Amino acid sequence: MAFDRRAFLGTTAATGAAVALAGATSSPAAAHEQSQAQSRPRPRTYSFTVMGTTDLHGNVFNWDYFTDKEFDDKAHNDVGLAKISTLVNQVRAEKGRRNTLLIDAGDTIQGTQLSYYYAKVDPITARRGPVHPMAQAMNAIGYDAAALGNHEFNYGIPVLRKFEEQCDFPLLGANALDAKTLRPAFPPYSMHCLRTPFGRDVKVAVLGLTNPGIAIWDKANVQGKMTFPGLEEQAAKYVPRLRALGADVVIVSAHSGSSGTSSYGDQLPYVENAAGLVAEQVPGIDAILVGHAHTEIPEYRVKNKATGKDVVLSEPLKWGQRLTLFDFELTWSKGCWSVAKVSAKVLNSNAVAEDPKITRLLSDEHRKVVAYVNQVIGTSTQAMSSAEGPVKDVAIIDLINHVQAETVKGALAGTEWAALPVLSQASCFSRTASIPAGQVTIKDAAGLYPFENTLEARLLTGAQLKDYLEFSARYFVRTAPGDVVDPAKLTNAESIPDYNYDAVYGLVYDIDVAQPVGSRITGLSFQGKPVDPAARFVFAVNNYRASGGGNFPHVPQAKQLWSNSEEIRNTIIGWVKAKGTVDPAQFASVDWRLTRAGVPVF
């Protein structure tokens, strides 16, 4: 028998240690057993990393096109794929390119003027049109897969299909089905093979799931064309299939938050933020990249009810502010790979510089959009700001409402509804929006309305409007008379975002924040008289709210009198161009206020 030096040395060392420990009582059998344990081959292991982004919303550069300067916030976060690219390069250098994957959880092609420009101004769908900047950047960085987000449908299916065609990676949506055939309209999953130093390749499946709320929020674009069943239902269908196909690891990329809540109430039998439910209810999933909620979750573990195993969830912060890293450790045993350990963390993109490869690649597109947003479209007699918009009736929100009300009045002129009073709703979408005194540019006007919403007119009664306002007033934290008022802590009760608090233009009312939810609206009047519960009003409302977004009462069921396909943002830009001068004295007034027991808060 050939001499095995490693076995000999191992046996010698083990025997010596045993004798030293046990002395005269040590037995040859014990020494032999320990020798065998130490000479056994170590289990074969393999480690790899899956990187993830979500809710990029058209951000390539660390740039804010609405202010036309470098992006910055109070936490000094940075944004954009150029920053993400640098982080990705660092991770690949550390882990080895072949030991990494890069995926995204959706909402890619809407959100900045850069993405808007290539959907509407110089559209990618035009004959010999440009390649979308997000496709260019993501291809250059080397994404492996991306889930569909709800905002992917904002510009219509043709734009999405063209974007899909331009991507070098699949857009996944296991619950985005063709309405007629009920078959997947996009690839449900992708399979990726990672080569290991021993054993067979590791097969990693990425299952893409999108948000059922698309059926409501983008009804005009998808009705009759696509349908969106629940995430849990489709995950339960596909995960066993992926395992049967030989997947060693199953990752879900879900454009769905983890809270288990919905903003569209009972209009659909599905949960909007279902990632946690998927982890809990569907066995066989190892990790979930979470999107949609715009929150930061470095690592969150959910125990699966069937298996008792932890599923690791992570959500990187929006716009490319964070990059998630899922680190996997696998062991090879009995002819197959099994997951031994999963952990997750996030990297902050403000810690690195932009990748010059990406900034050079898209410098021409960036310059075009900067020139576009700086076009002067009119003048303003005074400066306006949205900074106090969540707690006060400010002129800049009145501007949105005034434009919407005028647009609806014009559209209904000569119809049977022309004599009815027109009211309007608007939210403070951004607390940093502003209109300067003097020249007004496209970026100034567009900054008031960062979403791709369109305008509708619905028929409501006075009683329904009262309900609507009571629902909206949930946004304020209950504050007793005499308590110190901190404006920063007065809003966003129950984590309600700013865009789900509506001010209604054309009515006068107080919101008593000392009262419980449902009993806060007082002094509701129209043209100096109390609102008649039976009176009829035309309500100018965005399509998100009209379709049930935010779960506001009555509007989704109300009679639609008119609708428009143009974004409200463009309606505002067109209005400013047509008027030439924006004068708050012609449209702004303080019609609502916060009170406590009848005493104004401010």
Side-chain angles (χ1 to χ4, degrees), residues 30-76:
H32 179 69
E33 186 177 329
Q34 188 166 357
S35 168
Q36 282 194 321
Q38 292 207 0
S39 64
R40 287 192 196 107
R42 292 182 179 178
R44 293 177 174 181
T45 63
Y46 175 64
S47 298
F48 71 96
T49 298
V50 177
M51 298 173 281
T53 55
T54 190
D55 296 278
L56 293 168
H57 283 288
N59 285 281
V60 172
F61 298 86
N62 186 41
W63 196 260
D64 185 345
Y65 292 97
F66 294 125
T67 61
D68 196 24
K69 60 184 180 183
E70 185 175 304
F71 176 88
D72 195 22
D73 62 12
K74 291 180 180 178
H76 301 298

Side-chain angles (χ1 to χ4, degrees), residues 216-233:
I216 290 175
W217 306 321
D218 266 304
K219 183 178 179 180
N221 290 327
V222 301
Q223 187 174 34
K225 300 173 183 176
M226 294 183 66
T227 184
F228 304 89
L231 283 83
E232 308 101 300
E233 169 191 326

Side-chain angles (χ1 to χ4, degrees), residues 309-459:
K309 293 182 178 180
D310 281 353
V311 182
V312 178
L313 284 68
S314 181
E315 181 175 5
L317 199 57
K318 65 186 185 298
W319 306 346
Q321 295 179 44
R322 303 288 186 274
L323 176 70
T324 278
L325 302 187
F326 290 106
D327 289 315
F328 290 84
E329 292 182 17
L330 276 64
T331 56
W332 175 262
S333 178
K334 298 180 180 179
C336 67
W337 289 106
S338 60
V339 176
K341 183 181 178 182
V342 187
S343 61
K345 63 181 179 181
V346 295
L347 303 181
N348 194 330
S349 67
N350 72 3
V352 297
E354 292 183 315
D355 183 349
K357 172 186 172 183
I358 303 302
T359 56
R360 283 196 302 267
L361 177 68
L362 292 163
S363 59
D364 287 346
E365 286 84 349
H366 177 66
R367 282 194 293 269
K368 282 181 182 178
V369 176
V370 167
Y372 165 74
V373 300
N374 279 289
Q375 292 179 39
V376 175
I377 55 175
T379 60
S380 178
T381 60
Q382 65 185 66
M384 294 178 280
S385 168
S386 65
E388 295 184 311
V391 295
K392 293 182 180 180
D393 187 348
V394 294
I396 201 166
I397 307 299
D398 285 347
L399 173 60
I400 298 173
N401 272 320
H402 181 71
V403 171
Q404 292 181 165
E406 271 206 355
T407 302
V408 167
K409 284 178 185 176
L412 296 181
T415 72
E416 61 180 301
W417 316 107
L420 291 180
V422 177
L423 311 176
S424 178
Q425 60 78 223
S427 304
C428 181
F429 295 116
S430 167
R431 298 192 185 200
T432 60
S434 64
I435 297 289
Q439 290 186 337
V440 178
T441 63
I442 284 178
K443 75 172 186 287
D444 299 325
L448 302 183
Y449 222 106
F451 297 107
E452 314 305 324
N453 296 342
T454 57
L455 188 60
E456 297 190 16
R458 298 281 178 131
L459 186 65

